[in-house]
Structures are given as structure tokens and as C-alpha cells.
Amino acid sequence: DSGLFAQALAGCESMFFCIPQADDAANVIEHYETFAQIAVNAAKQSGTQRIVYLSGAGKDSPLAQQAGSATALYHAEDILAKSGLALRALRCPVFYESTLWQIGAISHAGMMFGVMPGSYPHGQVSVRDIARTAARLLIDSTWEGVESLGVFGPSEVSMDEVAQWISKAINAPVRYQQISLEQYVGNLRKLGVGAPLAEALGEMFDAIGKGLDDAEPRSVDSATALSMPQWIDEVFVPAFNNPPSY
């Protein structure tokens, strides 16, 4: 509802915009495009001048239009970029926090599962560092125009490395197992994820494993970002030791 959105933005010069996941959407790309256009309309109604947008790494990759949920993020970024509003698109790789979804498999089987090859080093980042970058932009009222920022952790990591670090942190063997795209989508469907979103997520991780994020320039902030081993100690281990009750 762009009218209610505009009311919520009253008096706001800048906004952080994160499109909610397309849990029930019949078409994931249309879902993201619709939310982006609503945001543009609301910002123009309310007089909001700047948008800090949570986008995805790899927008300029040859794989960008075959990357499922990431492709949807890129389409929304294009709508925001053409709006005439000032934009900073935070192009982020896989979040460290996605590893939290592996807690059940690690607890019951000592394993992690995913579409990407276990030995492939790829960019990841903590939500803490995304928030740090976004906050810096939100309190700065001087920037104009349209730009993107690659917000990454300090180094590329492989899922085999992540499994090793978790194994050491929880003092129990953990192994990463690559599965097929079909198996991954099937697992999500068993967890109640709708078919369009399950397929879009699978396509995104498949594209990342083929190099989607590799060409994304890193921002200077990546040098001071939280490392994956630090994040495992500070966030993953407490979550593993006190899993949610659902």
C-alpha cells in the first residue's frame, strides 16, 4: 500500500529498503519489482530523497539473469536506479547468518548441505557489517546520484572451511555435502517453502557456485569486516547451544 508507506516515511530524508522474502509469491521477480515500485511511489509522495537498498552481489555478471532470487533483487535495483531518487545499492553476497539454517542438520547428522561445491571459495558477509555500512549512509545527508557498493567479509571462504571451523568451535565432527539443485529444491519444499521461492533460492545458490559474485568490486569496508571464524564463535555457537524451540 504505497499510501500507507508514504505516511510511514513522513519526515524521513533517507530510508533503508529491504524487500521481504517472496514466501507466497507466484512469481518471485514480479514480487520484487512490485515492492520496488511501491517504494519509489511512496518516497516521491513523502519527499524522501535517498534510498539505501539491500541488493545482491553479481549484478553485472554474465550469470545475472539466471540467478533466481538474486535476479529479482537486480530487477528491483534497476527500478530504484531509474526513479530519479538518490540510491546506494548494497550488493551483498551470501550472509553468514544463512549458516544458522544448518543447525538442525549439524545437530542430528553432523552435516551441512548445499548446492555449491564444498571447495569453492566465495564471498560471505555478516549482517552486522551490512548494518554498519547502511547506518553510515543513512546518517550522511550529502550523497547524491546512483551508486552501488560491494559489501563483503574480509575474505572468500568455502563451505568445507566453514564446516571445519564449526567442527572446531562445537568440538564435534561436521562435514559439508554438496547436493543437486533438484535435491536442494526438494528439501526446501519439504520444509514448507513454496515452489517458486524454493526454485529461485536454488537457482541463486547454483549461480553463486558458478561464479556469480566473483566480479563484484569490494568496498573499502571489507578490510575491517567481521571474519567467518569470529562470527561462528560470537553468533553461531550460542545459537547452536540454544536452538529455537519451534
Side-chain angles (χ1 to χ4, degrees):
D1 187 323
S2 59
L4 289 175
F5 202 157
Q7 290 179 37
L9 288 176
C12 294
E13 295 182 2
S14 305
M15 73 165 166
F16 178 74
F17 185 48
C18 172
I19 296 177
Q21 186 165 275
D23 293 323
D24 302 317
N27 185 302
V28 173
I29 289 178
E30 288 183 3
H31 170 89
Y32 279 75
E33 290 175 338
T34 299
F35 265 96
Q37 192 58 61
I38 288 171
V40 167
N41 295 344
K44 289 183 175 180
Q45 281 182 264
S46 65
T48 300
Q49 303 166 33
R50 290 174 295 275
I51 299 177
V52 180
Y53 169 59
L54 185 63
S55 189
K59 187 176 186 298
D60 299 322
S61 165
L63 298 166
Q65 295 308 310
Q66 297 85 42
S69 290
T71 301
L73 286 168
Y74 308 149
H75 280 226
E77 182 181 328
D78 285 338
I79 290 171
L80 298 173
K82 296 173 183 176
S83 68
L85 301 167
L87 174 69
R88 291 297 180 268
L90 308 184
R91 294 188 182 170
C92 304
V94 177
F95 297 178
Y96 292 167
E97 282 71 13
S98 65
T99 306
L100 296 172
W101 290 98
Q102 303 277 1
I103 284 177
I106 293 171
S107 298
H108 293 100
M111 296 185 70
M112 301 169 59
F113 299 92
V115 176
M116 290 181 285
S119 60
Y120 172 63
H122 57 283
Q124 295 201 38
V125 67
S126 71
V127 295
R128 183 185 309 177
D129 286 309
I130 299 170
R132 178 169 56 90
T133 302
R136 174 173 54 81
L137 291 165
L138 289 168
I139 62 175
D140 179 0
S141 61
T142 63
W143 53 271
E144 300 176 339
V146 175
E147 294 181 14
S148 64
L149 297 172
V151 185
F152 283 70
S155 62
E156 282 70 33
V157 299
S158 71
M159 294 310 298
D160 286 342
E161 289 177 310
V162 174
Q164 292 170 8
W165 290 327
I166 291 176
S167 178
K168 182 178 180 180
I170 66 173
N171 195 30
V174 178
R175 180 171 67 88
Y176 174 79
Q177 176 64 52
Q178 183 183 11
I179 57 177
S180 70
L181 177 58
E182 292 74 21
Q183 288 174 308
Y184 181 83
V185 172
N187 287 346
L188 290 180
R189 297 287 288 122
K190 290 176 184 177
L191 293 171
V193 178
L197 178 58
E199 291 168 6
L201 290 170
E203 290 169 1
M204 178 180 69
F205 284 113
D206 185 54
I208 291 171
K210 293 175 179 175
L212 176 68
D213 297 349
D214 290 351
E216 189 70 49
R218 274 60 167 166
S219 72
V220 293
D221 287 342
S222 64
T224 58
L226 185 70
S227 72
M228 185 62 156
Q230 287 177 288
W231 177 86
I232 289 171
D233 287 340
E234 296 178 17
V235 179
F236 181 87
V237 172
F240 180 83
N241 290 333
N242 297 281
S245 58
Y246 58 78

